[in-house]
Each structure stands twice: as C-alpha cells, then as structure tokens.
Amino acid sequence: RRGHAGMAPAPEMEFMSFNSEKDKDYLVRTDGAEWKAASQAGGVHRRMIQRLGGEVARATTVVKFDPNQSFPPHTHGGGEEFMVLDGHWHDEYGAFGKYTYIRNYIGSRHQPTVKEDGVRILVRLRQMAHEYKEPEHQSWDASPNSDGWEDIEPSGIFDGADLAEAEACP
C-alpha cells in the first residue's frame, strides 16, 4: 500500500465494535471529535459514528477529503450510501454538490476524484442487503430548496428516550 504525497499510510484497523449494538439508540456529536487519518490513502480523515469490523466494516462515518486528490477504483461489497455535506463529490456517475444523497448498491464500483474545494460526506458502508435489489447508482437532491419537502412539527423524538451513552471515539 502507498500513502498520499509520499506519506506513509495509516495503520490497518483492528476489529472494533463501536456504538454498534442495534438494539440501542445513540446520540453521537461529531463536531468536537478529532479527525483520524483513514487508512485507504493520505488526505482522507474520518470521525467515526458507528463501526463493526476491521478495515472492512459496517460503518457510519463523517469523512473529509482534502482538495485535489484522486483515488484508485474500488468496489463496495456491502454497498454505500452518503450525503454530501460540503464541497463536491466527483466520480464516473457525475459531480454532486452539497445536500446530494447518493446510493451505490452492493458490488458497485467507482473512482472518486476530489477537486479544489475538497469534500465532506456522511457515509454508511455495508448497510445494504441482497434481498432488496436496487440500481447500481442512484442520487437525489436533498437540499432544503428542492421540490418535495414539506414543513412538519418537531416530534420530540429524543424527549425522554432511553439513549445509550455514545462511546468516545477511540
């Protein structure tokens, strides 16, 4: 494995179970968490929300890609879904700006490129099932100004909810 711009890659991840019990609800605040170097390449940083596994894992993560990078083609064995939070995402499927929600189905393959503005995404990996067939790639404009939104009253979903204490990011 090679690092980015002559830098050594981050070490391989060991198996971990982090906020991964499906019978519990977690409230995770990522804004104060430290950015950790990702092991795929230099210039990629993540703040973990949930993870079950090692280098290949079911995971939910905020990922920040530094500007002006390209990455090798790769396949998502369990699929991926993500929301662009800032910047623009580029791959063979197109260019996607802030508030684009993207689903790449199980076995989908792409080669991301990050332009001068960098990009930050909220991504869920290996969350899909073969029982529910989907197109290889789908995307939606989920911006607040796009069509199809309606105002709703807050439900107080967390009022009195039995929330598990989220673990501190390892």
Side-chain angles (χ1 to χ4, degrees):
R1 294 179 331 162
R2 292 187 352 228
H4 180 71
M7 297 173 58
E12 288 281 331
M13 290 194 77
E14 293 184 23
F15 181 90
M16 70 168 44
S17 177
F18 173 70
N19 295 336
S20 61
E21 295 178 47
K22 288 192 168 196
D23 62 340
K24 292 184 180 179
D25 295 321
Y26 297 94
L27 177 59
V28 181
R29 300 182 190 280
T30 62
D31 55 341
E34 180 183 349
W35 288 106
K36 303 278 187 175
S39 60
Q40 304 93 312
V44 180
H45 317 276
R46 62 182 162 210
R47 290 178 171 166
M48 283 188 265
I49 296 172
Q50 176 272 330
R51 189 172 193 88
L52 182 64
E55 187 59 33
V56 174
R58 185 185 80 216
T60 304
T61 311
V62 176
V63 182
K64 177 175 65 171
F65 296 83
D66 292 342
N68 301 315
Q69 298 186 63
S70 60
F71 298 91
H74 58 276
T75 302
H76 290 282
E80 75 169 341
E81 60 182 325
F82 62 93
M83 173 77 77
V84 178
L85 302 174
D86 287 306
H88 291 84
W89 179 266
H90 300 266
D91 63 16
E92 298 87 326
Y93 299 111
F96 306 96
K98 185 175 183 174
Y99 299 128
T100 304
Y101 172 66
I102 298 166
R103 287 179 67 86
N104 293 323
Y105 188 62
I106 297 169
S108 63
R109 184 174 174 82
H110 66 151
Q111 182 174 6
T113 301
V114 179
K115 306 290 184 180
E116 61 278 349
D117 58 347
V119 68
R120 193 167 48 102
I121 64 174
L122 171 64
V123 62
R124 292 169 36 97
L125 299 172
R126 305 186 77 75
Q127 309 275 343
M128 298 176 183
H130 287 284
E131 293 82 11
Y132 305 100
K133 300 291 183 202
E134 298 182 29
E136 181 177 272
H137 169 85
Q138 299 179 82
S139 64
W140 296 268
D141 177 1
S143 65
N145 299 327
S146 65
D147 292 335
W149 290 100
E150 61 183 74
D151 290 333
I152 60 171
E153 292 298 317
S155 66
I157 190 168
F158 291 111
D159 292 347
D162 184 23
L163 295 177
E165 284 292 320
E167 298 178 35
C169 186

